[in-house]
Amino acid sequence: MDDRQAWRVIAAQRVAIADLLDGLTPEQWSTPSLCAGWTVCDVAGHLAAVLRPASAGAMIAAAVRARGRLHGMIDLLTREAAAEYGTRSAVMLREEAEVTALPRMTNWQNILFDTQIHSQDIARPLGFVMPLDTAAAAQGAERIWRVGYLFGARKRFAGLSFAATDCDWSAGEGPTVRGPIADLLLVLSGRPAGLSGIDGDGAELAGHRLGMTR
């Protein structure tokens, strides 16, 4: 999948997320998402913030406050975006779905899997099913597996292999963790919610690596 195809998938996913957000109650907007420490509103704000990337100055200021921690900087910027945009995030995601702006320090490959994973972060705690483009999800899983600084998946799951049951994607060596690519994306990105959809002789160990038992 090249960048043009990826941006089409991203745009479609943004609209699907906006459709889901449109029908939420205030209580649902405040529901904890699958992304640790973030509510549904926070995740929506994060996705909307991608459309309007922070300035270099704002990023530097956030980095200073986060004491140089990348994830801390992202957390600060996300919370500020969620506070600013609120439920307007849904409107932004729909009306600006085709925006191809790139925040500093990232690329379209990261935006592709980020949008897919965060759609699950929002939908699953609320009991909704959010379909993913399986080819795009497989590309996202491959990037998460290969790029260590993103989630440390290859290190965390060393000695295990992963195989999608709904598309052509696999990685790693050892006892196998099988499941739909959406669940594998969640597991690889450190989200225990994905464990409910996996099986295989490596599934129990994968759960332990996430600090959980199945």
Side-chain angles (χ1 to χ4, degrees):
M1 179 175 293
D2 61 22
D3 59 339
R4 289 175 298 177
Q5 294 170 313
W7 282 116
R8 286 196 291 270
V9 171
I10 292 166
Q13 197 74 53
R14 286 169 171 168
V15 172
I17 294 168
D19 288 343
L20 188 157
L21 292 172
D22 276 343
L24 299 187
T25 65
E27 292 75 18
Q28 288 173 314
W29 276 91
S30 299
T31 298
S33 75
L34 298 185
C35 192
W38 289 0
T39 65
V40 166
C41 186
D42 290 331
V43 177
H46 172 77
L47 292 169
V50 172
L51 304 169
R52 301 176 185 178
S55 67
M59 292 187 69
I60 292 171
V64 170
R65 285 183 288 152
R67 298 182 179 179
R69 295 179 297 110
L70 175 62
H71 292 296
M73 180 190 72
I74 293 171
D75 182 68
L76 286 169
L77 292 173
T78 290
R79 293 180 188 280
E80 290 171 358
E84 178 180 355
Y85 301 142
T87 58
R88 289 192 296 115
S89 296
V91 175
M92 294 168 63
L93 287 168
R94 175 175 292 103
E95 293 184 350
E96 302 175 41
E98 296 184 3
V99 168
T100 58
L102 281 172
R104 291 169 175 81
M105 301 172 61
T106 193
N107 51 53
W108 64 265
Q109 292 98 330
N110 291 352
I111 300 299
L112 180 63
F113 75 69
D114 192 65
T115 306
Q116 295 175 92
I117 292 173
H118 286 317
S119 75
Q120 304 302 303
D121 287 339
I122 290 171
R124 293 198 181 199
L126 297 175
F128 295 107
V129 175
M130 178 69 73
L132 296 181
D133 180 293
T134 55
Q139 185 163 324
E142 184 69 14
R143 182 160 180 79
I144 289 172
W145 183 256
R146 292 189 176 279
V147 182
Y149 75 86
L150 293 171
F151 296 100
R154 188 163 47 179
K155 180 178 180 180
R156 171 182 278 169
F157 297 110
L160 289 173
S161 64
F162 291 82
T165 55
D166 54 350
C167 65
D168 183 19
W169 182 79
S170 61
E173 295 182 356
T176 303
V177 179
R178 291 188 302 267
I181 193 65
D183 291 301
L184 296 186
L185 271 178
L186 292 178
V187 171
L188 292 172
S189 61
R191 289 154 167 82
L195 295 171
S196 63
I198 66 171
D199 60 21
D201 54 0
E204 184 174 357
L205 182 54
H208 285 304
R209 296 283 177 87
L210 290 177
M212 304 289 290
T213 55
R214 298 178 72 243

